[in-house]
Amino acid sequence: MYLNGVFNFNHSFIMKKIVFILIAMLVAGSVYGQISYLQYRHVPADQDAKFLERETKHWSKVAESAIKKGQMISWSLWRKVGITNADDLTPNYVFVNTFESLDKMDPEKLWSDNMDALGDVKPEDIETDSFTTTTFDYYVQSEDQVPGDYKFALVNYAKPTDVTAFIQENRSLWKPFHEASIKNILNSMTYWGMSSVIYPVGNQDRFSVFTVDGFNTLNDALDYLRFTETSDNSPNAAAWDDLAGKSKMDELVPNGFERRIIYERVMTVK
């Protein structure tokens, strides 16, 4: 009986471990290589309410229909926190449309196939293009993440001298650090992710990669920025110092991040 008990325990433990590995592989396979189309918009202040109503009440239904048909994984709308520039070409909203892979991304078919989700509403009566400006758009690929729920995203835009090396170091050195912090609640971060730009690219472009630090409140995001990881107030200071000695980020991103902007989640459909 004792031996059987040991066998059953080990067998159960091994089976649980196999299941865990399989789940991890499935999650990894479903995340890495996902493609997102980011559309940045400038919405005038006096048009804000109309824009939000039309996008969240009507156009989100089209996205929901496409997701149910497997044409898209998720759709979300984010609002930039604060004003970093008053220029009309400075975006204050960004749409994120995520697809399983590049092969399965077909935006034109997606919208044309699901317009019936609007019901009796005419598209021309709820359009938002005429009173907003699409400032720029990007196609990006998810490279890695530590999953979690979050309402505010601190997006760290970068133009490393070597994109591949930047991704490799974040994946091998910094991801485990953030993963441990999130798991052990050592700081207020609840999510971490990294994406690379597919298009547009070039020396004159705004960024080629970005990381995302997720938080549940704006105060958490601001507090994270206020007290850096190397600060004596940070519970991660010792671990951060240890990793900084192994890091090549000073060489890869000699001028630091191009921008660090906080976005608030307005709505997500998935």
Side-chain angles (χ1 to χ4, degrees), residues 146-186:
V146 179
D149 295 326
Y150 60 106
K151 182 173 177 59
F152 291 86
L154 170 60
V155 183
N156 309 292
Y157 297 98
K159 291 180 67 175
T161 55
D162 186 330
V163 172
T164 300
F166 178 91
I167 291 172
Q168 288 175 343
E169 177 170 317
N170 268 280
R171 189 175 284 156
S172 62
L173 191 66
W174 296 104
K175 177 189 174 181
F177 169 78
H178 293 309
E179 194 168 27
S181 296
I182 293 169
K183 179 179 179 181
N184 298 313
I185 319 177
L186 293 181

Short mmCIF file of all heavy atoms in Angstrom, two decimals, residues 146-186:
data_model
loop_
_atom_site.label_atom_id
_atom_site.label_comp_id
_atom_site.label_asym_id
_atom_site.label_seq_id
_atom_site.Cartn_x
_atom_site.Cartn_y
_atom_site.Cartn_z
N VAL A 146 4.31 38.64 -19.27
CA VAL A 146 3.92 38.04 -18.00
C VAL A 146 2.46 38.41 -17.84
O VAL A 146 2.13 39.57 -17.59
CB VAL A 146 4.74 38.60 -16.82
CG1 VAL A 146 4.27 37.95 -15.52
CG2 VAL A 146 6.23 38.36 -17.03
N PRO A 147 1.53 37.45 -18.05
CA PRO A 147 0.10 37.77 -18.08
C PRO A 147 -0.42 38.34 -16.77
O PRO A 147 0.11 38.07 -15.69
CB PRO A 147 -0.55 36.41 -18.37
CG PRO A 147 0.55 35.57 -18.94
CD PRO A 147 1.79 36.03 -18.27
N GLY A 148 -1.48 39.12 -16.88
CA GLY A 148 -2.13 39.70 -15.71
C GLY A 148 -3.14 40.74 -16.12
O GLY A 148 -3.10 41.24 -17.25
N ASP A 149 -4.05 41.08 -15.23
CA ASP A 149 -5.05 42.10 -15.50
C ASP A 149 -4.48 43.48 -15.16
O ASP A 149 -3.75 43.63 -14.17
CB ASP A 149 -6.31 41.86 -14.67
CG ASP A 149 -7.02 40.57 -15.07
OD1 ASP A 149 -6.97 40.24 -16.28
OD2 ASP A 149 -7.60 39.92 -14.20
N TYR A 150 -4.84 44.47 -15.95
CA TYR A 150 -4.37 45.83 -15.67
C TYR A 150 -5.27 46.84 -16.38
O TYR A 150 -5.84 46.55 -17.42
CB TYR A 150 -2.92 46.02 -16.10
CG TYR A 150 -2.67 45.80 -17.58
CD1 TYR A 150 -2.44 46.87 -18.44
CD2 TYR A 150 -2.64 44.51 -18.13
CE1 TYR A 150 -2.20 46.67 -19.80
CE2 TYR A 150 -2.41 44.31 -19.48
CZ TYR A 150 -2.19 45.39 -20.31
OH TYR A 150 -1.97 45.19 -21.65
N LYS A 151 -5.40 48.02 -15.79
CA LYS A 151 -6.22 49.08 -16.36
C LYS A 151 -5.37 50.20 -16.95
O LYS A 151 -5.77 50.89 -17.87
CB LYS A 151 -7.17 49.64 -15.30
CG LYS A 151 -8.11 50.73 -15.82
CD LYS A 151 -9.13 51.14 -14.79
CE LYS A 151 -10.02 52.29 -15.29
NZ LYS A 151 -10.75 51.94 -16.53
N PHE A 152 -4.17 50.38 -16.39
CA PHE A 152 -3.27 51.43 -16.87
C PHE A 152 -1.98 50.80 -17.40
O PHE A 152 -1.41 49.91 -16.76
CB PHE A 152 -2.94 52.43 -15.76
CG PHE A 152 -4.12 53.26 -15.35
CD1 PHE A 152 -5.01 52.80 -14.39
CD2 PHE A 152 -4.35 54.50 -15.94
CE1 PHE A 152 -6.12 53.56 -14.02
CE2 PHE A 152 -5.44 55.26 -15.58
CZ PHE A 152 -6.33 54.80 -14.62
N ALA A 153 -1.57 51.24 -18.58
CA ALA A 153 -0.39 50.68 -19.23
C ALA A 153 0.68 51.76 -19.36
O ALA A 153 0.45 52.79 -20.01
CB ALA A 153 -0.74 50.13 -20.60
N LEU A 154 1.82 51.54 -18.73
CA LEU A 154 2.97 52.41 -18.93
C LEU A 154 3.75 51.83 -20.11
O LEU A 154 4.35 50.76 -19.99
CB LEU A 154 3.84 52.45 -17.68
CG LEU A 154 5.21 53.12 -17.82
CD1 LEU A 154 5.07 54.58 -18.23
CD2 LEU A 154 6.00 52.99 -16.51
N VAL A 155 3.70 52.50 -21.25
CA VAL A 155 4.35 51.99 -22.46
C VAL A 155 5.70 52.68 -22.62
O VAL A 155 5.79 53.90 -22.66
CB VAL A 155 3.47 52.24 -23.70
CG1 VAL A 155 4.14 51.64 -24.94
CG2 VAL A 155 2.09 51.62 -23.51
N ASN A 156 6.74 51.85 -22.70
CA ASN A 156 8.11 52.35 -22.80
C ASN A 156 8.61 52.15 -24.23
O ASN A 156 8.96 51.05 -24.63
CB ASN A 156 9.01 51.58 -21.81
CG ASN A 156 8.42 51.56 -20.41
OD1 ASN A 156 8.34 52.57 -19.74
ND2 ASN A 156 7.99 50.38 -19.96
N TYR A 157 8.61 53.22 -25.01
CA TYR A 157 9.00 53.17 -26.42
C TYR A 157 10.51 53.30 -26.55
O TYR A 157 11.12 54.18 -25.94
CB TYR A 157 8.34 54.30 -27.20
CG TYR A 157 6.82 54.24 -27.23
CD1 TYR A 157 6.05 54.99 -26.35
CD2 TYR A 157 6.16 53.42 -28.14
CE1 TYR A 157 4.65 54.94 -26.40
CE2 TYR A 157 4.78 53.35 -28.19
CZ TYR A 157 4.02 54.12 -27.31
OH TYR A 157 2.66 54.07 -27.35
N ALA A 158 11.11 52.43 -27.38
CA ALA A 158 12.57 52.43 -27.49
C ALA A 158 13.03 52.22 -28.93
O ALA A 158 12.29 51.67 -29.76
CB ALA A 158 13.17 51.35 -26.60
N LYS A 159 14.26 52.65 -29.19
CA LYS A 159 14.92 52.42 -30.49
C LYS A 159 16.32 51.88 -30.21
O LYS A 159 17.32 52.59 -30.34
CB LYS A 159 15.00 53.72 -31.29
CG LYS A 159 13.66 54.23 -31.79
CD LYS A 159 13.81 55.53 -32.57
CE LYS A 159 14.56 55.30 -33.88
NZ LYS A 159 14.61 56.53 -34.71
N PRO A 160 16.41 50.61 -29.80
CA PRO A 160 17.72 50.03 -29.48
C PRO A 160 18.63 49.93 -30.69
O PRO A 160 18.16 49.84 -31.83
CB PRO A 160 17.37 48.64 -28.93
CG PRO A 160 16.04 48.33 -29.52
CD PRO A 160 15.33 49.63 -29.64
N THR A 161 19.91 49.93 -30.43
CA THR A 161 20.90 49.80 -31.50
C THR A 161 20.86 48.40 -32.11
O THR A 161 21.24 48.21 -33.26
CB THR A 161 22.31 50.07 -30.96
OG1 THR A 161 22.57 49.19 -29.85
CG2 THR A 161 22.44 51.51 -30.48
N ASP A 162 20.38 47.43 -31.33
CA ASP A 162 20.27 46.05 -31.79
C ASP A 162 18.95 45.50 -31.25
O ASP A 162 18.86 45.14 -30.07
CB ASP A 162 21.45 45.22 -31.29
CG ASP A 162 21.47 43.80 -31.85
OD1 ASP A 162 20.39 43.26 -32.14
OD2 ASP A 162 22.57 43.23 -31.99
N VAL A 163 17.93 45.44 -32.09
CA VAL A 163 16.60 45.01 -31.65
C VAL A 163 16.62 43.56 -31.15
O VAL A 163 16.02 43.25 -30.11
CB VAL A 163 15.57 45.15 -32.80
CG1 VAL A 163 14.24 44.51 -32.41
CG2 VAL A 163 15.37 46.61 -33.15
N THR A 164 17.33 42.68 -31.86
CA THR A 164 17.38 41.27 -31.47
C THR A 164 18.00 41.11 -30.09
O THR A 164 17.49 40.36 -29.24
CB THR A 164 18.19 40.45 -32.50
OG1 THR A 164 17.56 40.56 -33.78
CG2 THR A 164 18.25 38.98 -32.09
N ALA A 165 19.09 41.82 -29.83
CA ALA A 165 19.75 41.74 -28.53
C ALA A 165 18.86 42.32 -27.43
O ALA A 165 18.84 41.80 -26.31
CB ALA A 165 21.08 42.49 -28.59
N PHE A 166 18.13 43.37 -27.75
CA PHE A 166 17.20 43.98 -26.79
C PHE A 166 16.13 42.98 -26.38
O PHE A 166 15.84 42.80 -25.19
CB PHE A 166 16.56 45.22 -27.41
CG PHE A 166 15.54 45.91 -26.54
CD1 PHE A 166 15.94 46.93 -25.68
CD2 PHE A 166 14.21 45.55 -26.57
CE1 PHE A 166 14.99 47.57 -24.86
CE2 PHE A 166 13.26 46.18 -25.78
CZ PHE A 166 13.66 47.19 -24.91
N ILE A 167 15.56 42.30 -27.37
CA ILE A 167 14.52 41.31 -27.10
C ILE A 167 15.08 40.14 -26.29
O ILE A 167 14.47 39.68 -25.32
CB ILE A 167 13.90 40.79 -28.42
CG1 ILE A 167 13.10 41.92 -29.10
CG2 ILE A 167 13.01 39.58 -28.18
CD1 ILE A 167 12.63 41.58 -30.49
N GLN A 168 16.26 39.66 -26.68
CA GLN A 168 16.87 38.52 -25.99
C GLN A 168 17.16 38.84 -24.53
O GLN A 168 16.90 38.03 -23.64
CB GLN A 168 18.15 38.10 -26.71
CG GLN A 168 17.88 37.42 -28.05
CD GLN A 168 19.16 37.11 -28.81
OE1 GLN A 168 20.23 37.66 -28.52
NE2 GLN A 168 19.06 36.23 -29.80
N GLU A 169 17.71 40.04 -24.28
CA GLU A 169 18.02 40.39 -22.89
C GLU A 169 16.76 40.56 -22.06
O GLU A 169 16.69 40.12 -20.91
CB GLU A 169 18.86 41.66 -22.80
CG GLU A 169 19.11 42.04 -21.35
CD GLU A 169 20.12 43.14 -21.15
OE1 GLU A 169 21.18 43.11 -21.82
OE2 GLU A 169 19.87 44.02 -20.30
N ASN A 170 15.75 41.20 -22.62
CA ASN A 170 14.50 41.36 -21.88
C ASN A 170 13.87 40.01 -21.57
O ASN A 170 13.31 39.81 -20.49
CB ASN A 170 13.52 42.23 -22.68
CG ASN A 170 13.63 43.70 -22.35
OD1 ASN A 170 13.09 44.16 -21.34
ND2 ASN A 170 14.37 44.42 -23.17
N ARG A 171 13.97 39.11 -22.52
CA ARG A 171 13.36 37.79 -22.35
C ARG A 171 14.10 36.96 -21.31
O ARG A 171 13.49 36.29 -20.47
CB ARG A 171 13.35 37.07 -23.70
CG ARG A 171 12.56 35.78 -23.73
CD ARG A 171 12.52 35.22 -25.14
NE ARG A 171 11.59 35.95 -25.98
CZ ARG A 171 11.66 36.02 -27.31
NH1 ARG A 171 12.65 35.41 -27.94
NH2 ARG A 171 10.76 36.68 -28.00
N SER A 172 15.42 37.00 -21.33
CA SER A 172 16.20 36.13 -20.45
C SER A 172 16.54 36.76 -19.10
O SER A 172 16.64 36.06 -18.09
CB SER A 172 17.51 35.72 -21.16
OG SER A 172 18.31 36.86 -21.42
N LEU A 173 16.70 38.09 -19.08
CA LEU A 173 17.17 38.75 -17.86
C LEU A 173 16.05 39.49 -17.12
O LEU A 173 15.86 39.29 -15.91
CB LEU A 173 18.30 39.72 -18.21
CG LEU A 173 19.09 40.31 -17.03
CD1 LEU A 173 19.87 39.20 -16.33
CD2 LEU A 173 20.06 41.38 -17.54
N TRP A 174 15.31 40.31 -17.83
CA TRP A 174 14.34 41.19 -17.17
C TRP A 174 12.96 40.56 -16.98
O TRP A 174 12.27 40.87 -16.02
CB TRP A 174 14.23 42.51 -17.94
CG TRP A 174 15.52 43.26 -17.92
CD1 TRP A 174 16.43 43.37 -18.93
CD2 TRP A 174 16.08 43.95 -16.80
NE1 TRP A 174 17.52 44.09 -18.52
CE2 TRP A 174 17.33 44.47 -17.22
CE3 TRP A 174 15.65 44.18 -15.50
CZ2 TRP A 174 18.15 45.21 -16.37
CZ3 TRP A 174 16.46 44.92 -14.65
CH2 TRP A 174 17.69 45.42 -15.09
N LYS A 175 12.56 39.67 -17.89
CA LYS A 175 11.26 39.03 -17.72
C LYS A 175 11.18 38.25 -16.41
O LYS A 175 10.20 38.41 -15.66
CB LYS A 175 10.93 38.11 -18.90
CG LYS A 175 9.61 37.38 -18.72
CD LYS A 175 9.36 36.31 -19.76
CE LYS A 175 8.11 35.51 -19.46
NZ LYS A 175 7.87 34.44 -20.45
N PRO A 176 12.16 37.39 -16.07
CA PRO A 176 12.08 36.66 -14.80
C PRO A 176 12.02 37.60 -13.59
O PRO A 176 11.34 37.30 -12.60
CB PRO A 176 13.38 35.83 -14.80
CG PRO A 176 13.72 35.68 -16.24
CD PRO A 176 13.32 36.98 -16.88
N PHE A 177 12.70 38.73 -13.70
CA PHE A 177 12.69 39.72 -12.61
C PHE A 177 11.28 40.28 -12.43
O PHE A 177 10.74 40.32 -11.32
CB PHE A 177 13.68 40.83 -12.95
CG PHE A 177 13.59 42.03 -12.05
CD1 PHE A 177 14.14 42.01 -10.78
CD2 PHE A 177 12.95 43.18 -12.48
CE1 PHE A 177 14.06 43.12 -9.95
CE2 PHE A 177 12.87 44.30 -11.66
CZ PHE A 177 13.42 44.27 -10.39
N HIS A 178 10.66 40.71 -13.54
CA HIS A 178 9.30 41.25 -13.47
C HIS A 178 8.30 40.17 -13.06
O HIS A 178 7.35 40.43 -12.31
CB HIS A 178 8.90 41.85 -14.81
CG HIS A 178 9.67 43.07 -15.18
ND1 HIS A 178 9.82 44.15 -14.32
CD2 HIS A 178 10.36 43.41 -16.31
CE1 HIS A 178 10.54 45.09 -14.90
NE2 HIS A 178 10.89 44.65 -16.10
N GLU A 179 8.53 38.95 -13.55
CA GLU A 179 7.63 37.84 -13.22
C GLU A 179 7.63 37.58 -11.72
O GLU A 179 6.57 37.38 -11.11
CB GLU A 179 8.08 36.59 -13.98
CG GLU A 179 7.08 35.48 -14.00
CD GLU A 179 7.46 34.40 -15.01
OE1 GLU A 179 8.66 34.25 -15.30
OE2 GLU A 179 6.55 33.73 -15.50
N ALA A 180 8.80 37.60 -11.12
CA ALA A 180 8.90 37.38 -9.67
C ALA A 180 8.26 38.52 -8.90
O ALA A 180 7.59 38.30 -7.89
CB ALA A 180 10.37 37.23 -9.27
N SER A 181 8.45 39.74 -9.39
CA SER A 181 7.87 40.91 -8.72
C SER A 181 6.35 40.84 -8.74
O SER A 181 5.68 41.12 -7.75
CB SER A 181 8.35 42.20 -9.39
OG SER A 181 9.73 42.36 -9.26
N ILE A 182 5.80 40.49 -9.91
CA ILE A 182 4.35 40.41 -10.05
C ILE A 182 3.77 39.27 -9.20
O ILE A 182 2.76 39.43 -8.51
CB ILE A 182 3.97 40.22 -11.53
CG1 ILE A 182 4.33 41.49 -12.33
CG2 ILE A 182 2.50 39.87 -11.69
CD1 ILE A 182 4.24 41.32 -13.83
N LYS A 183 4.45 38.14 -9.23
CA LYS A 183 3.98 36.97 -8.48
C LYS A 183 4.01 37.22 -6.97
O LYS A 183 3.09 36.85 -6.25
CB LYS A 183 4.85 35.75 -8.81
CG LYS A 183 4.45 34.49 -8.07
CD LYS A 183 5.34 33.32 -8.46
CE LYS A 183 4.95 32.06 -7.69
NZ LYS A 183 5.84 30.91 -8.04
N ASN A 184 5.06 37.87 -6.51
CA ASN A 184 5.24 38.09 -5.07
C ASN A 184 4.73 39.46 -4.61
O ASN A 184 4.91 39.83 -3.44
CB ASN A 184 6.72 37.94 -4.71
CG ASN A 184 7.25 36.55 -4.99
OD1 ASN A 184 6.61 35.57 -4.62
ND2 ASN A 184 8.39 36.46 -5.64
N ILE A 185 4.13 40.19 -5.52
CA ILE A 185 3.57 41.52 -5.23
C ILE A 185 4.61 42.40 -4.54
O ILE A 185 4.35 43.02 -3.51
CB ILE A 185 2.29 41.42 -4.36
CG1 ILE A 185 1.41 40.26 -4.82
CG2 ILE A 185 1.49 42.70 -4.43
CD1 ILE A 185 0.18 40.05 -3.98
N LEU A 186 5.82 42.43 -5.12
CA LEU A 186 6.88 43.26 -4.55
C LEU A 186 6.73 44.72 -4.95
O LEU A 186 7.27 45.61 -4.31
CB LEU A 186 8.25 42.73 -4.99
CG LEU A 186 8.63 41.36 -4.44
CD1 LEU A 186 10.01 40.94 -4.93
CD2 LEU A 186 8.61 41.37 -2.92
#
